Amino acid sequence: MAELPVWTERLVVRRFAVGDVAAFAAYRSDPEVARYQSWEAPVSEVDAARLVAGFAAAEEGAPGWFQYAVERDGVLIGDIGICLHDNRMQAGLGFTVARPYQGQGYGTEAVRCVLDRVFGTGVRRVSADCDARNTASAKLLDRLGFRREGRRVQHTWAKGEWTDDLLFGLLAGDRPSRADEPAIYACRPNVVVRDLSASLRFYRDLLGFQVGWRWSDPAGRFLAEDDPDEPGTALVFRDRAHLILTQVAGAHPTRLHLDVNTTAQLDDLFDQWSRRGATIAEPPSVRPWGMYEMRLHDPDGTVLRISAHPN
């Protein structure tokens, strides 16, 4: 599984961090947000800090709950929980979106991103349930292809009343096609730097970027075998700007990373571009860092890496 964070068209899906406590406490304290959820509002900052610390320390892909933070333009706007069964083949789903960001498709976008990751690990089934009066959540699950599997009448005692539960399930093989979505949805320039540590300090400490990940394993380099040695690669982001920084000795051509929704779309691009005469330096394959990628060069030597999460 590729490292977090993950970028969708408008969002960043990432781990929780200490700096999320205030925003997390704020939206979870909103009575309208908490209305059909299991917790009681308000949520104190002490309780929020305890929860966020647990989220940040959890291991993604381990049995039990893992909570993803959902960010829009540098602001925490919600969270998505996945509860992986001990057999690692089925999971439960929960999600929350802050009220100012509801009704704009952010929940659907973020949950789809998380489902991509979960099903990409071999999970066969994801289940969800919601209060029968929570029509917004039910519609979100409908949009993502979940099947309505039943209604448990007066099954849950919550906040002083008995409530009906709607039951949903989604099998990996039943996910709706995304062939009608645009293939390339983001471009991340790769900036060649002399000193990766100094560049990270500049972007993080002076410009306020966050560090998404660092990669130093020679077996998983983003360069080709005949490229210069690469002591390290990192991704930094702020708002909707994402830069990959790569430390390389000497001159090196510009590189761009183009993100594609699905492996099928990437294969289609490979077929199209090959037929039109483009020289593909590296055909599509799963790389050591978990991405399905191909590599080609433009006439000036710019390196294009086209990437999709394996699905």
Side-chain angles (χ1 to χ4, degrees):
M1 185 185 303
E3 291 293 321
L4 291 170
V6 176
W7 291 266
T8 66
E9 182 180 357
R10 300 176 294 173
L11 305 172
V12 181
V13 177
R14 57 172 174 80
R15 281 185 167 275
F16 269 88
V18 174
D20 294 323
V21 170
F24 178 79
Y27 70 72
R28 286 219 170 189
S29 293
D30 184 336
E32 288 300 309
V33 172
R35 182 181 180 191
Y36 300 124
Q37 301 282 16
S38 60
W39 68 84
E40 295 284 347
V43 175
S44 70
E45 289 219 3
V46 171
D47 288 338
R50 174 180 52 80
L51 288 168
V52 167
F55 297 159
E59 179 185 352
E60 184 186 19
W65 281 101
F66 184 86
Q67 214 75 11
Y68 297 87
V70 180
E71 178 184 305
R72 163 70 170 164
D73 293 337
V75 177
L76 180 72
I77 69 166
D79 56 273
I80 299 169
I82 288 290
C83 185
L84 186 64
H85 193 277
D86 287 343
N87 63 21
R88 299 178 186 266
M89 293 186 290
Q90 59 197 96
L93 167 71
F95 48 87
T96 305
V97 178
R99 186 153 37 132
Y101 298 91
Q102 294 178 1
Q104 301 172 62
Y106 294 129
T108 301
E109 189 173 326
V111 173
R112 178 183 286 123
C113 172
V114 170
L115 290 175
D116 285 345
R117 290 181 72 77
V118 171
F119 282 119
T121 66
V123 166
R124 183 172 182 272
R125 172 185 167 86
V126 174
S127 303
D129 61 71
C130 69
D131 190 302
R133 299 166 297 177
N134 190 352
T135 56
S137 290
K139 288 179 180 178
L140 184 155
L141 294 167
D142 288 337
R143 282 194 295 273
L144 292 173
F146 280 77
R147 179 186 294 112
R148 296 199 182 203
E149 298 180 330
R151 182 181 186 123
R152 295 184 296 201
V153 178
Q154 295 190 18
H155 179 269
T156 301
W157 174 257
K159 299 175 182 177
E161 60 182 335
W162 288 104
T163 64
D164 292 2
D165 297 340
L166 296 180
L167 307 180
F168 294 83
L170 178 62
L171 298 178
D174 291 342
R175 298 192 69 193
S177 170
R178 295 170 61 187
D180 56 342
E181 294 185 359
I184 299 173
Y185 65 87
C187 176
R188 293 173 289 151
N190 193 311
V191 181
V192 175
V193 302
R194 291 190 301 269
D195 184 329
L196 182 62
S197 296
S199 294
L200 286 174
R201 288 194 296 271
F202 171 79
Y203 282 99
R204 181 188 60 214
D205 300 340
L206 299 184
L207 302 190
F209 279 67
Q210 296 183 56
V211 178
W213 48 259
R214 293 187 67 170
W215 188 277
S216 299
D217 183 356
R221 301 186 317 138
F222 285 103
L223 302 179
E225 289 304 318
D226 57 349
D227 283 327
D229 288 339
E230 177 187 313
T233 298
L235 183 139
V236 296
F237 66 95
R238 176 170 178 170
D239 304 324
R240 299 186 71 178
H242 311 112
L243 303 175
I244 294 177
L245 310 177
T246 300
Q247 181 174 318
V248 176
H252 194 274
T254 301
R255 290 183 291 165
L256 300 177
H257 292 250
L258 303 179
D259 296 323
V260 175
N261 283 308
T262 69
T263 57
Q265 289 174 324
L266 194 152
D267 287 337
D268 286 342
L269 291 174
F270 171 68
D271 291 340
Q272 292 173 26
W273 294 345
S274 297
R275 288 196 305 269
R276 294 172 184 173
T279 300
I280 307 298
E282 296 174 2
S285 67
V286 177
R287 307 300 181 176
W289 49 92
M291 296 296 288
Y292 187 67
E293 292 191 357
M294 67 175 166
R295 178 177 185 252
L296 65 155
H297 303 159
D298 78 0
D300 295 302
T302 297
V303 179
L304 304 179
R305 298 205 75 97
I306 320 299
S307 305
H309 288 285
N311 53 10

